[in-house]
Amino acid sequence: MSFFSPENRKAWLPVVLAALGMGCYLGWGMMASSASLLSPGIRESVGALAIGDGPTRWLWLAIVAATGTGAQLLKERFPRRAVTVAAAVLTAGATVGIYLVAPHAEPLVSTLRMPIAASSVFILLWGEQLCRLSSLQALRCVLIASFTASAVVMLATCLPELGQVMLHGSLPVASGGALVWLNRRKLLEPVQGRAFGTRRFPLRAFVGIGLLCVVVLLLQAYSEGKTDSPDELLWVVAGLAVNAVLFVASVVNPKLTTASNISKLMLPLFAVGTFLVFATDFGQQSVEVFAIGCAWVYYRIFTWIIWRLGALGTDKAPVAVIAVGQAILTGGSMLGEWAYGLMGAWDLSFFAAAAAVCLLSVCVAMFFLDTRYVAELADETVTFDPENRAVCELCADNATATYGFSRQERSIALMLVRGDDNETIQGELVIATNTLRTHLCNMYRKTDTHSREELVLLLRSLTQN
């Protein structure tokens, strides 16, 4: 089918619109944390826009909790449009207000910082939109959104001071407008019929994401501690590069960008970043900034993927589930700041700090977000190998436990998944044709299948404990 065909355009339109709207919000956040890339006259104002310590962070968490609770209690009656409009108005108004009064009226700036916490609503609502897309669509949406955010920051560096202020203030409005349009026009179908909504709450995955945030913050803090003027432009370039590579991979071979495959690269990226940060202590190097930038952007993409899978894997409202994920992530950022301060107070050597970061990364990769667990969370199909005796035995054991097979039926199931024909099964079990036929009929009944081929496919799908 041609990319420009009406069917393809119809399928891509909501994905692109969601990606651009989500990218506007992410771009607003990136501009708030990239003060050194903007005009000197507004850098102090930009610093006031970032969510830092103090009351703003606690209000941020309170809004996350209130929005998640409201979405869970009200279900479809949750006032998405009103919440979206309120978040857009408060965030945009506070952004422009801070630019107008800072740095001359510090008490007023502190007051204006409070409405910035309403921006947390965008994270929850855009996470909900990702749940309305297929896995591949959701990944591409996140990649385009992240690419858009980096492009917005690059654009801002080319604008005069007034243009930067206008761009920054307009981004929350554009993001909110995209959300309202998507919900009003119903371009994305409501979340329903989730295929695996009976699983337990994915607390393990969300805690893993929170601990990875600690790793990212420690790497960033140690790297920026080497210089008074960190090169933030390289972070933006790294974001553009990572998103472009992953997007091309998702188009050329979607299997390369499954959740489990993406998780495989997380630990190597952190390992490379850790080595480059702690290999030298005589100043921040460009290569380490680029490496950390790649790890940070990759981590952010991976976070959205895990949050989406977690929301789809329960019977809770997606906004409520993602609210829990965001709360844990914020807790991870606070833990990372505390850990960096503690390591500095203990005056740890670079070697000891590197060992601590590596150990935490390995623990997360092994016990919280290992590839097998991510594959199960994503409900990815595992390639079946009939020559693998252990896998065949596992299928037979799982089928026996699930469907109550007898000992003889378990033996037949094992030989079916191996690909043995009827003659081989009869010869090995020393049973007659009619006896085998009776066993097969009983197995069809127990598994609610209607043919040998259907039964074999079912048995071979039982590759997880």
Side-chain angles (χ1 to χ4, degrees):
M1 183 186 298
S2 170
F3 177 82
F4 297 100
S5 65
E7 294 82 1
N8 231 333
R9 288 201 302 271
K10 184 178 180 180
W12 270 92
L13 176 62
V15 178
V16 173
L17 180 58
L20 294 178
M22 184 179 177
C24 286
Y25 167 70
L26 296 178
W28 174 84
M30 283 191 68
M31 285 188 66
S33 59
S34 304
S36 67
L37 300 180
L38 304 182
S39 299
I42 60 173
R43 287 179 183 174
E44 189 170 344
S45 301
V46 176
L49 288 168
I51 302 294
D53 297 326
T56 308
R57 174 178 281 175
W58 294 109
L59 180 59
W60 166 284
L61 283 172
I63 292 176
V64 168
T67 305
T69 302
Q72 179 61 33
L73 294 176
L74 298 176
K75 305 285 184 186
E76 291 305 317
R77 294 182 291 111
F78 179 68
R80 289 172 177 78
R81 185 181 304 177
V83 171
T84 302
V85 171
V89 171
L90 288 172
T91 304
T95 300
V96 175
I98 287 176
Y99 276 121
L100 291 176
V101 303
H104 308 293
E106 185 58 35
L108 185 56
V109 171
S110 300
T111 302
L112 287 173
R113 279 172 56 87
M114 303 304 284
I116 293 293
S119 61
S120 60
V121 170
F122 285 113
I123 297 175
L124 311 185
L125 295 180
W126 280 120
E128 181 185 44
Q129 296 299 321
L130 292 179
C131 295
R132 300 180 177 187
L133 299 170
S134 68
S135 296
L136 187 58
Q137 284 179 324
L139 173 63
R140 289 172 176 171
C141 179
V142 172
L143 293 175
I144 296 173
S146 185
F147 188 93
T148 300
S150 298
V152 164
V153 176
M154 294 291 286
L155 172 63
T157 61
C158 303
L159 297 176
E161 185 175 300
L162 179 60
Q164 293 174 352
V165 173
M166 293 177 63
L167 175 63
H168 206 177
S170 66
L171 290 174
V173 177
S175 185
L179 271 172
V180 171
W181 182 266
L182 284 169
N183 286 316
R184 182 178 180 181
R185 296 290 181 177
K186 299 186 183 302
L187 295 180
L188 299 179
E189 293 298 323
V191 182
Q192 59 184 359
R194 295 191 287 275
F196 40 100
T198 58
R199 295 181 178 175
R200 292 180 297 176
F201 194 90
L203 185 61
R204 168 182 166 186
F206 286 2
V207 171
I209 289 294
L211 292 176
L212 283 179
C213 181
V214 176
V215 176
V216 173
L217 285 177
L218 286 176
L219 290 178
Q220 181 183 356
Y222 272 102
S223 178
E224 293 183 350
K226 300 178 181 181
T227 178
D228 295 328
S229 55
D231 190 351
E232 293 180 336
L233 183 61
L234 269 179
W235 278 65
V236 180
V237 174
L240 293 171
V242 169
N243 287 292
V245 169
L246 286 178
F247 185 83
V248 171
S250 74
V251 173
V252 173
N253 188 353
K255 292 182 179 179
L256 294 175
T257 51
T258 60
S260 58
N261 282 337
I262 288 177
S263 70
K264 292 177 182 177
L265 291 178
M266 187 62 65
L267 183 58
L269 276 174
F270 283 140
V272 170
T274 302
F275 172 78
L276 293 174
V277 169
F278 294 103
T280 61
D281 59 356
F282 51 80
Q284 189 182 57
Q285 305 299 305
S286 296
V287 64
E288 76 180 65
V289 177
F290 185 80
I292 298 173
C294 289
W296 179 77
V297 173
Y298 200 88
Y299 163 73
R300 184 173 65 179
I301 295 169
F302 186 59
T303 297
W304 285 108
I305 292 172
I306 294 299
W307 281 356
R308 173 186 173 274
L309 294 176
L312 289 175
T314 71
D315 58 357
K316 308 299 182 184
V319 171
V321 177
I322 295 171
V324 175
Q326 177 59 58
I328 294 175
L329 178 62
T330 303
S333 67
M334 297 170 68
L335 179 61
E337 295 167 2
W338 174 81
Y340 180 67
L342 186 63
M343 293 164 75
W346 287 351
D347 196 23
L348 291 183
S349 66
F350 260 36
F351 177 79
V357 172
C358 286
L359 180 60
L360 179 58
S361 301
V362 171
C363 287
V364 173
M366 290 181 61
F367 302 112
F368 290 93
L369 291 167
D370 60 277
T371 302
R372 183 186 180 93
Y373 172 63
V374 173
E376 292 176 358
L377 194 66
D379 201 34
E380 294 174 0
T381 301
V382 179
T383 303
F384 180 82
D385 180 11
E387 300 298 324
N388 189 324
R389 175 77 181 185
V391 172
C392 293
E393 293 280 358
L394 180 60
C395 290
D397 289 340
N398 288 341
T400 301
T402 303
Y403 301 107
F405 287 170
S406 66
R407 181 179 299 179
Q408 192 79 311
E409 289 168 348
R410 192 257 182 209
S411 300
I412 294 173
L414 175 60
M415 286 182 276
L416 286 175
V417 296
R418 288 194 326 223
D420 294 342
D421 56 22
N422 286 355
E423 185 177 348
T424 303
I425 296 174
Q426 291 173 228
E428 187 167 332
L429 298 181
V430 193
I431 57 176
T433 301
N434 289 339
T435 304
L436 175 59
R437 186 178 296 116
T438 300
H439 283 307
L440 289 173
C441 288
N442 289 336
M443 294 171 74
Y444 295 154
R445 175 178 53 81
K446 291 179 180 181
T447 59
D448 195 25
T449 54
H450 306 88
S451 67
R452 181 192 183 96
E453 290 75 17
E454 191 177 346
L455 175 61
V456 172
L457 286 174
L458 174 64
L459 296 174
R460 288 183 172 180
S461 70
L462 303 175
T463 54
Q464 304 295 335
N465 283 315

